[in-house]
Amino acid sequence: MATDYAGAVRNGAMAAARLHVECGTQAKMQRQGGGIDVFYAVLGVHLPLLLRPLDGLLGAYLPDPIPGVLVTTERPLSIQRFTAAHELGHFRLKHRPSLDDENNILRRMTMTATPTAADPDMQEVEADAFAVGFLIAALAHRLALPPTGLAGFGPAKASCRVSTSLRLGASYEATTWTLQRYNLIAGEAGRALRQSQPRQLKIDLLEGHRPSDYRGDVWLLTERDADTRIDGSRNDHFVLRLNEHSGGGYLWNIDQLRQSGFVIIRDDRESTDHEGVGGPVVRHVTAGLELEEGQRGQLSLNEARPWQPSSPISRVTLNYDLTGPEETRLLAG
């Protein structure tokens, strides 16, 4: 195990990269799209996984008498996924037993590379670095980043951070600390982002719609999310911002959303060419689940002329699992 912060981050990141190579996950994402199924990865290395309500814990790693991990079912699926990756990191790095609460998983670490009495346990730094390295591989080609990368988004683009946190599988606050820790954003930007409350960010994304509660996540989706996988919950909402060539008669078929069991909350257009006529527009669609029970399946949206529906110029296909939080279940490797 590393004895300094930089070494711990390096150990965790390298272990995650090795597992990607062994499982072929990065090649699969580039070929087929989608994200990383961390639960499948846990089972793929024959590590028993138990999903149960845990009092005060997010997860645990127990190496004896045989290695196994526990993950709470009392948090959103995004937190469960990151916790599972963290526990998988403990296993791959051959760590001692660990009972992990919020102080162990994505804690507010210092940014120094020199250990002090206040620095975290290096075992937890390694497991955190593993989780980030393993899950963040799915992000780069999914988010519409400026040339400067994530650092190019200032606090005004906090909605991008929300999307990043959902795809990474961690809370909004934890994600800002992670991005800051790995120098993807500056410290000043991180502090400003943490002053933005997730509830207010959801309100801003929903633009006037008021759900019964704000426990669900709000996903911001664009064409760059084509062929990806959405792991969410039954009370999540989805904000689609799709470029539409309506001047040429091409329209997104929003009826396909309804046919897949979603209810349309908002549907309007915003011109991107304020000086021209008939130019491209952005289709703004807000949707939620029509039924209370969770759903899983595949959704395809086509941009086509209504009189030529079989000849779309664009298509967005999403695989979704909106059955979270996970029900109590036992998975054995």
Side-chain angles (χ1 to χ4, degrees):
M1 186 190 307
T3 58
D4 62 274
Y5 178 83
V9 171
R10 183 169 55 251
N11 285 354
M14 291 178 63
R18 286 193 293 269
L19 184 57
H20 274 306
V21 172
E22 292 177 22
C23 299
T25 46
Q26 284 183 312
K28 181 179 179 181
M29 283 188 297
Q30 293 173 355
R31 184 174 65 254
Q32 300 179 356
I36 295 170
D37 188 337
V38 66
F39 297 111
Y40 181 82
V42 170
L43 299 180
V45 297
H46 306 291
L47 178 63
L49 166 64
L50 185 65
L51 297 173
R52 287 288 188 272
L54 300 178
D55 185 15
L57 293 177
L58 296 184
Y61 168 64
L62 304 172
D64 297 314
I66 61 171
V69 298
L70 293 88
V71 175
T72 184
T73 58
E74 297 183 328
R75 292 300 187 93
L77 190 55
S78 59
I79 303 299
Q80 294 180 36
R81 292 179 65 249
F82 193 91
T83 301
H86 181 97
E87 306 306 339
L88 177 59
H90 282 314
F91 170 71
R92 294 288 292 188
L93 291 157
K94 302 185 186 306
H95 286 164
R96 62 183 181 272
S98 182
L99 301 178
D100 295 317
D101 57 15
E102 291 185 349
N103 289 324
N104 281 357
I105 297 180
L106 278 175
R107 65 171 67 201
R108 300 179 181 183
M109 298 180 186
T110 60
M111 299 298 146
T112 64
T114 303
T116 69
D119 280 333
D121 185 340
M122 292 304 155
Q123 170 172 295
E124 299 305 328
V125 178
E126 286 186 346
D128 246 7
F130 177 94
V132 172
F134 192 67
L135 293 175
I136 207 169
L139 291 180
H141 66 292
R142 291 297 168 195
L143 296 177
L145 302 180
T148 51
L150 285 168
F153 282 116
K157 291 291 185 179
S159 60
C160 176
R161 313 294 185 189
V162 174
S163 296
T164 303
S165 68
L166 293 177
R167 289 159 173 79
L168 180 59
S171 69
Y172 172 79
E173 181 180 7
T175 298
T176 65
W177 282 107
T178 301
L179 297 177
Q180 183 178 336
R181 188 186 316 157
Y182 291 97
N183 295 319
L184 295 173
I185 59 174
E188 181 179 353
R191 287 189 292 273
L193 287 166
R194 282 186 289 277
Q195 292 176 359
S196 301
Q197 295 300 314
R199 185 178 187 277
Q200 184 58 50
L201 297 176
K202 295 176 184 180
I203 291 174
D204 294 342
L205 280 172
L206 292 173
E207 298 184 271
H209 174 64
R210 296 292 184 265
S212 57
D213 63 66
Y214 289 90
R215 288 177 295 178
D217 291 316
V218 180
W219 296 78
L220 175 61
L221 304 172
T222 70
E223 292 98 322
R224 292 182 67 90
D225 289 295
D227 301 319
T228 196
R229 176 186 173 90
I230 302 298
D231 289 303
S233 301
R234 55 184 62 86
N235 55 347
D236 287 357
H237 286 78
F238 303 88
V239 177
L240 290 80
R241 294 180 182 172
L242 305 171
N243 293 310
E244 186 174 75
H245 302 83
S246 56
Y250 293 94
L251 306 175
W252 287 99
N253 185 359
I254 304 304
D255 283 339
Q256 292 173 293
L257 265 176
R258 297 187 179 93
Q259 294 164 4
S260 295
F262 292 84
V263 59
I264 307 303
I265 297 168
R266 176 193 180 199
D267 182 8
D268 56 27
R269 296 173 173 86
E270 176 186 358
S271 174
T272 57
D273 182 3
H274 299 290
E275 297 181 359
V277 178
V281 299
V282 176
R283 188 81 172 261
H284 290 253
V285 179
T286 302
L289 281 179
E290 185 173 18
L291 303 175
E292 292 185 0
E293 61 266 22
Q295 294 186 11
R296 59 167 61 92
Q298 185 180 82
L299 166 69
S300 290
L301 292 178
N302 296 333
E303 184 188 13
R305 288 169 169 162
W307 59 91
Q308 294 177 321
S310 61
S311 301
I313 60 170
S314 298
R315 175 180 288 119
V316 173
T317 299
L318 299 171
N319 294 295
Y320 58 89
D321 185 341
L322 308 179
T323 57
E326 288 285 331
E327 296 179 358
T328 301
R329 58 194 176 102
L330 175 64
L331 302 176

